[in-house]
Amino acid sequence: MTISRKADGYYITLSLEDKSVPALTTKVEPTLKNTLGIDMGLKEFLVTSEGESVPIPQYYRKSQQRLKTLQKRLSRKKKGSKRRLKAVKTVAKQHKKIADQRKDFHFKTANELLLKAEVIAHENLNIKGLAKTRLSKSINDAGWGNFLTILTVKAENAGQKTIAVNPKNTSQDCSNCGEKVKKELNIRTHSCPHCGVVIDRDLNAAINIKNRAVGHSVLKARGARRNTGAGKREAHIVAPA
Ligand SMILES: [Zn+2]
């Protein structure tokens, strides 16, 4: 609001921003070229379909360890004592520190990903039952929900896109030939007896996630490979067995 004085009196100028008017949205269609798949791991924060990994920062792990220590100390303080009150404050401060660090890390990671690709594909975390599966621990520890919210909002603001895909068998299916290769959680390498591809387990999942977002079905993938000989490009990334 601005007030201006003119010869014949005072004028008030109001400018309003209407939040109900939708921002310009670009229609981005996911393709093999513009889409990056991310697999949320137990080991790494995420691994991309290009084979890059984003680790959970060391400072974050340290802060969490410190929190545990502080909580233990608090539990030993006598109820109603001044020392206890002080310990409560220290714990609260540490909680805040961790929350800030996590948010900061999520923002940075989201920005970096959105510089790499127009569309980011990830597993749908809202699918019922997932909380009890392999991801439950990392969802809680790494704040996956928070991160994906930040990523999605940032993507939309930039005219980009995130796509949530069905997480079923993303780590079991072969990203190269589509055959199911069963493996336990401790098996870190995807080694396919059907097509011979040997890649990191999380990378295999990230490629599957990308392919799902693009609508690149197994049959389509097979057809494409037969026709062009493509599809082996990731095979050079071999994880240590
Ligand atoms: Zn295979």
Side-chain angles (χ1 to χ4, degrees):
M1 188 182 88
T2 52
I3 300 171
S4 50
R5 189 182 173 185
K6 291 197 177 155
D8 56 349
Y10 288 94
Y11 284 80
I12 295 171
T13 312
L14 292 170
S15 58
L16 297 171
E17 187 191 358
D18 189 355
K19 299 262 188 202
S20 68
V21 176
L24 206 74
T25 48
T26 38
K27 283 205 169 154
V28 190
E29 287 303 319
T31 64
L32 281 173
K33 249 192 172 170
N34 73 1
T35 304
L36 190 70
I38 56 169
D39 178 61
M40 318 157 201
L42 291 166
K43 233 177 89 197
E44 308 283 346
F45 184 68
L46 62 87
V47 171
T48 75
S49 52
E50 296 295 317
E52 291 167 299
S53 61
V54 178
I56 295 166
Q58 272 303 315
Y59 62 76
Y60 185 69
R61 289 186 198 274
K62 271 184 193 156
S63 295
Q64 279 192 317
Q65 270 164 7
R66 171 101 181 119
L67 178 65
K68 270 184 199 161
T69 311
L70 292 172
Q71 278 169 331
K72 225 179 234 171
R73 266 184 218 166
L74 168 63
S75 70
R76 284 193 230 109
K77 299 279 185 281
K78 222 195 282 172
K79 288 214 170 128
S81 69
K82 271 189 183 170
R83 280 165 173 253
R84 187 182 163 85
L85 192 68
K86 210 179 155 193
V88 167
K89 276 185 190 165
T90 315
V91 166
K93 244 174 138 180
Q94 188 66 11
H95 267 298
K96 168 88 165 61
K97 186 181 173 184
I98 288 174
D100 289 346
Q101 282 181 334
R102 189 162 77 175
K103 202 171 164 189
D104 187 54
F105 170 63
H106 286 170
F107 270 89
K108 271 188 197 149
T109 307
N111 281 339
E112 278 164 24
L113 283 178
L114 291 168
L115 285 176
K116 287 182 200 292
E118 258 185 299
V119 182
I120 309 293
H122 60 85
E123 286 182 319
N124 188 348
L125 294 183
N126 296 323
I127 284 181
K128 222 177 160 187
L130 194 74
K132 282 178 189 163
T133 68
R134 70 180 181 103
L135 274 175
S136 65
K137 198 181 176 298
S138 71
I139 287 171
N140 296 331
D141 284 1
W144 273 107
N146 289 339
F147 171 68
L148 290 177
T149 303
I150 289 168
L151 182 67
T152 301
V153 169
K154 276 189 173 290
E156 280 168 7
N157 287 343
Q160 290 171 261
K161 205 176 195 173
T162 57
I163 295 178
V165 305
N166 189 337
K168 199 179 175 216
N169 289 333
T170 47
S171 58
Q172 307 295 321
D173 292 351
C174 178
S175 61
N176 193 47
C177 72
E179 294 288 340
K180 195 169 178 178
V181 184
K182 282 203 173 180
K183 50 185 103 56
E184 297 297 322
L185 194 55
N186 62 334
I187 306 298
R188 301 306 310 164
T189 302
H190 167 77
S191 177
C192 181
H194 307 282
C195 69
V197 75
V198 180
I199 52 173
D200 174 75
R201 175 202 180 97
D202 298 333
L203 171 60
N204 180 60
I207 297 169
N208 279 329
I209 290 163
K210 172 185 174 170
N211 287 344
R212 282 181 195 189
V214 176
H216 194 64
S217 76
V218 171
L219 282 176
K220 268 195 218 162
R222 279 181 186 158
R225 204 173 61 251
R226 211 176 291 131
N227 293 339
T228 63
K232 282 250 175 191
R233 84 200 146 80
E234 269 94 8
H236 64 279
I237 305 158
V238 180

